[in-house]
Amino acid sequence: MGFTNPVYDGNFADPQVIAVGAQYYAFATNGPLGNIQTLKSTDLVSWDQVGDALPSLPDWTSAGKVWAPEVAVHGDDRFVMYYTTSDDAAGRQCVGVAVAAEAKGPYVDKSRKPLVCQVSEGGSIDASPFQDSTGQRWLYWKNDGNAIGVDTWIYVSKLSPDGLTLVGETTRLIKQTLPWEGNLVEAPYVVERNGKFHLFYSANAYDKAEYAVGHALCETPAGPCVKSGDPVLTTSADAAGPGHNMVLVKDGRYWFVYHAWDPALIGVDPPGRTMWLSELTWNGDEPVVQPPQQRNPAKP
């Protein structure tokens, strides 16, 4: 028995999924369910609404532009969420961090300022945590350069063990250089496999059919990284502008979780972007992602 995409047909942009025991939790950009929309599932295919994982925001921001949450698991009773929101004083989108005792929240951000806020580079968005095989934690993000007409870079920094502080130097990995990328790269997500590091990223305009997911192979979590060239996930007859992916491993199989538009309603919000699932396989170090398709032959 297969499954049908989208696996969640509500407005659920920039999705990320974590596994906690036999349960999966999905988090997404602000929408009908609140600042951080939250779902739960036991099979990645059927999802139930949970609500808002971040019901209260810190004093330095305000509701309305809470984007792209990603959660790092720090044990059974500590979960750290990185999210994008407005730094009201600076007038730019920046990265905040919040902590919860349960995966579903509520997450609490007690900070007096953002964790990452590159005001002179347009702001900082799309933070993505990663823990390598040595136990070192890292944070990836994008400077929001397209907001002010400058380059967009994927940045990385080591994190402190508690995940609340950047440690050491900050490194630039890649920027927009390929024709298909348009004016920007964003939404980084890193996977370690066979001692190598795979950086997936989205590029082009999020509200266009040209939006797609690219890949770069990195020697270490801090680079250097070499792009593969053509995107690995692009618009299909069933879904347009797929992007902002993450990767989940279930029973030894790799899955892309991402958002996409109805091809007849690209850029129209509501209904917005829905959550999709595609299998990821490998040809050596080359990722092969199943194109977006509504009907899939095998469940995760």
Side-chain angles (χ1 to χ4, degrees):
M1 180 183 295
F3 70 96
T4 301
N5 271 315
V7 291
Y8 182 71
D9 65 0
N11 183 337
F12 205 72
D14 309 327
Q16 189 230 6
V17 177
I18 61 169
V20 182
Q23 192 81 54
Y24 296 96
Y25 290 92
F27 308 94
T29 281
N30 55 212
L33 300 181
N35 291 320
I36 300 293
Q37 301 189 87
T38 311
L39 310 174
K40 65 179 180 179
S41 174
T42 57
D43 62 3
L44 298 179
V45 173
S46 299
W47 292 89
D48 296 318
Q49 296 180 351
V50 175
D52 188 353
L54 189 67
S56 298
L57 298 171
D59 291 341
W60 51 265
T61 189
S62 52
K65 293 184 178 181
V66 184
W67 302 341
E70 292 199 15
V71 171
V73 179
H74 286 247
D76 295 334
D77 59 357
R78 190 168 185 273
F79 301 85
V80 181
M81 175 184 284
Y82 304 90
Y83 66 100
T84 299
T85 191
S86 170
D87 178 3
D88 291 343
R92 297 293 176 199
Q93 290 290 98
C94 298
V95 173
V97 59
V99 179
E102 294 184 81
K104 66 181 181 180
Y107 289 79
V108 177
D109 184 347
K110 297 182 179 179
S111 67
R112 296 182 181 179
K113 63 179 183 179
L115 174 66
V116 187
C117 196
Q118 298 158 299
V119 175
S120 65
E121 295 184 53
S124 307
I125 71 171
D126 292 353
S128 181
F130 167 69
Q131 186 175 17
D132 68 28
S133 56
T134 72
Q136 176 62 55
R137 294 184 183 271
W138 304 79
L139 191 69
Y140 297 82
W141 70 91
K142 163 212 176 179
N143 75 288
D144 201 19
N146 53 291
I148 60 170
V150 302
D151 285 336
T152 59
W153 287 91
I154 301 301
Y155 281 87
V156 63
S157 174
K158 287 183 178 179
L159 281 167
S160 58
D162 65 6
L164 302 181
T165 307
L166 301 185
V167 176
E169 65 180 286
T170 295
T171 303
R172 286 176 165 179
L173 296 179
I174 61 170
K175 69 173 184 176
Q176 74 287 351
T177 56
L178 301 175
W180 73 266
E181 295 169 346
N183 295 324
L184 62 91
V185 294
E186 60 189 15
Y189 192 89
V190 171
V191 174
E192 182 177 358
R193 181 177 175 271
N194 296 336
K196 296 181 180 179
F197 301 88
H198 298 267
L199 170 62
F200 295 97
Y201 65 96
S202 297
N204 215 295
Y206 80 95
D207 56 353
K208 304 294 183 184
E210 290 76 17
Y211 199 60
V213 177
H215 167 263
L217 187 62
C218 306
E219 293 181 16
T220 76
C225 302
V226 177
K227 293 180 182 178
S228 298
D230 292 337
V232 297
L233 185 69
T234 60
T235 290
S236 71
D238 290 341
H244 208 111
N245 82 287
M246 59 86 57
V247 177
L248 195 71
V249 182
K250 182 177 186 291
D251 299 328
R253 295 163 71 193
Y254 288 78
W255 294 91
F256 249 44
V257 181
Y258 57 97
H259 68 225
W261 301 94
D262 180 328
L265 295 167
I266 301 171
V268 180
D269 188 0
R273 292 158 283 177
T274 54
M275 184 164 63
W276 287 63
L277 200 61
S278 289
E279 188 163 10
L280 163 64
T281 56
W282 300 90
N283 180 14
D285 289 328
E286 177 189 354
V288 181
V289 185
Q290 176 193 57
Q293 60 186 45
Q294 190 174 13
R295 292 180 176 84
N296 296 265
K299 278 191 174 182

